Amino acid sequence: MMKRILFTITLLAVVSFAFGQEAYNEAIRMAKAVADDTSRSLEERKIATFKKDALYYLGSQSYKLTPDSSATMLDFQALALFKFINLFQGRIAMSPKKDRAAIINLFKSVSLAHPRFNDPNKEMVLAYITNEGYLTKFSLDTDWVAAYDDIRKRMQGSGK
C-alpha cells in the first residue's frame, strides 16, 4: 500500500514537472512501463493499461479532429487523467470493501458526464466499462480536466 502511494506521488511529480508535450509523452512512457512490468500486480498493470489506452485515444482523437491542436492541451489532459486515476485508487484503497462499488460508480458517472470528443464509437470508448475484468470503469472519451475538477469538488463537498 505505501509503495503504491509513493509510486503515485513520484509519478504525479514527474508528470507535473515536464514541459511542452513532454508530460503527455512521459505519461505514456510511464504507463507503458508499468503495464509491461510483469513483476507488478495484475491490478496495477490493468490500471496502467487503461492509462496508456486513454492517452493513446486522446492523442489519436485530438490529432484526427484538430491536427494542429495544442501540445499543452495534451499535457493538461494527461496530468488530469493521472490525478483522476490516483484519486480513484486512493479512495478505493482507503474505503471499506462494502463501499467499493459506490466509488467505482461515482467515478464512472463522472467520466461519462464529461465526454471530450462525443465519439459515436461506443463499443470502443466504453470498452473498459463493459469489460468486467477491469477496475477502471471509465470512458476513453473523457475530458480528463473537467472530470478531475468535477470529482475533486464532489469529494470536497462530501467531506471525504
Side-chain angles (χ1 to χ4, degrees), residues 4-24:
R4 184 181 303 166
I5 292 171
L6 289 174
F7 172 76
T8 299
I9 291 169
T10 303
L11 175 66
L12 190 57
V14 169
V15 172
S16 65
F17 287 116
F19 296 101
Q21 195 173 341
E22 293 174 27
Y24 173 77

Side-chain angles (χ1 to χ4, degrees), residues 110-140:
V110 168
S111 169
L112 289 167
H114 298 285
R116 178 149 185 88
F117 304 105
N118 294 304
D119 191 334
N121 186 351
K122 298 303 179 196
E123 183 179 351
M124 181 180 63
V125 299
L126 302 178
Y128 282 88
I129 292 173
T130 58
N131 187 329
E132 289 303 316
Y134 284 84
L135 183 64
T136 48
K137 301 281 184 198
F138 314 131
S139 171
L140 293 175

